[in-house]
């Protein structure tokens, strides 16, 4: 098993089977996410259910913070919020760290167990988002995968101009669509 400090290197399941992968098609290119079900089983299952249901299709990258994260998975164009399933338990204590290129679940800052459909890609090492303890303040954000192809697409998204839109900050001025998510 690869040390979580060395992301986004290739990992495998205990039985050396390939890990699940999801290809994301966007209006600025595509990227490939490798998932880690042994480390974050509930989170990966949740993410894959949304993928299989087509939930992510035609959603926007709604939060882009240069040198921090690129976030998507919960809004249609015009910042129309989608209806999600119930929140999942935060599995952030799984040993995976918020390193550049890793994929983690977004959640409310005040509620560690509030993640539903939104996820983000770390565009730098973000140790401030890592699990520290079981206290509500120390729970961090659950990493459940990593970009293994197409990080240049994430960098393209990261560089777009943003604005505030209602209660939302860091919204791209021009919509960037997540057109389709496909389990390979």
């Amino acid at each position: 098993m690869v040390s979580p400090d060395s992301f986004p290197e290739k990992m495998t399941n205990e039985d050396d089977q390939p890990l699940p992968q999801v290809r994301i098609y966007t209006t600025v290119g595509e990227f490939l996410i490798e998932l880690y079900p042994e480390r974050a089983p509930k989170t990966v299952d949740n993410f894959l259910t949304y993928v299989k249901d087509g939930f992510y299709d035609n959603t926007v990258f709604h939060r882009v913070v240069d040198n921090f994260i690129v976030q998507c998975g919960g809004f249609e164009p015009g910042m129309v919020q989608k209806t999600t399933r119930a929140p999942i338990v935060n599995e952030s204590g799984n040993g995976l760290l918020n390193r550049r290129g890793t994929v983690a679940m977004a959640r409310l800052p005040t509620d560690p167990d509030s993640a539903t459909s939104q996820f983000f890609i770390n565009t730098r090492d973000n140790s401030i988002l890592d699990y520290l303890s079981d206290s509500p303040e120390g729970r961090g954000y659950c990493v459940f995968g990593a970009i293994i192809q197409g990080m240049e697409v994430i960098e393209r998204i990261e560089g777009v101009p943003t604005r505030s839109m209602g209660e939302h900050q860091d919204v791209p001025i021009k919509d960037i669509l997540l057109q389709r998510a496909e389990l390979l």
Side-chain angles (χ1 to χ4, degrees), residues 4-181:
D5 288 341
S6 59
F7 276 110
E9 289 184 27
K10 182 93 172 135
M11 294 176 69
T12 58
N13 288 321
E14 284 181 14
D15 56 4
D16 285 330
Q17 293 299 306
L19 295 168
Q21 297 179 348
V22 173
R23 183 166 305 282
I24 305 287
Y25 300 88
T26 79
T27 50
V28 296
E30 58 188 66
F31 57 93
L32 186 62
I33 301 172
E34 183 173 73
L35 305 173
Y36 306 127
E38 288 185 1
R39 296 289 196 95
K42 292 178 175 106
T43 306
V44 169
D45 182 59
N46 177 67
F47 180 74
L48 288 176
T49 299
Y50 280 114
V51 168
K52 292 172 189 173
D53 289 348
F55 180 89
Y56 294 124
D57 299 356
N58 297 309
T59 57
V60 293
F61 287 83
H62 67 275
R63 185 170 176 232
V64 174
V65 183
D66 191 36
N67 198 32
F68 186 54
I69 65 162
V70 169
Q71 186 172 332
C72 59
F75 292 88
E76 296 173 341
M79 293 301 289
V80 176
Q81 190 161 11
K82 295 188 78 169
T83 303
T84 63
R85 292 191 321 277
I88 59 171
V89 172
N90 186 339
E91 297 177 299
S92 61
N94 62 15
L96 302 178
L97 304 175
N98 283 277
R99 297 287 186 245
R100 184 179 189 284
T102 59
V103 182
M105 289 305 294
R107 62 170 179 81
L108 297 172
T110 56
D111 183 356
D113 296 322
S114 60
T116 57
S117 64
Q118 294 182 36
F119 62 96
F120 62 88
I121 298 106
N122 288 289
T123 60
R124 68 169 187 169
D125 291 353
N126 286 316
S127 61
I128 62 168
L129 303 178
D130 290 341
Y131 171 88
L132 298 174
S133 70
D134 283 333
S135 73
E137 304 80 29
R139 294 278 298 281
Y141 293 77
C142 178
V143 171
F144 66 97
I147 304 296
I148 60 168
Q149 186 180 82
M151 192 63 189
E152 69 279 0
V153 173
I154 303 305
E155 291 165 355
R156 244 179 266 141
I157 295 168
E158 180 186 26
V160 302
T162 61
R163 65 179 174 190
S164 292
M165 190 172 178
E167 64 185 43
H168 305 282
Q169 290 81 42
D170 307 307
V171 178
I173 291 172
K174 183 180 177 195
D175 282 348
I176 299 169
L177 283 178
L178 187 164
Q179 298 168 307
R180 184 167 52 104

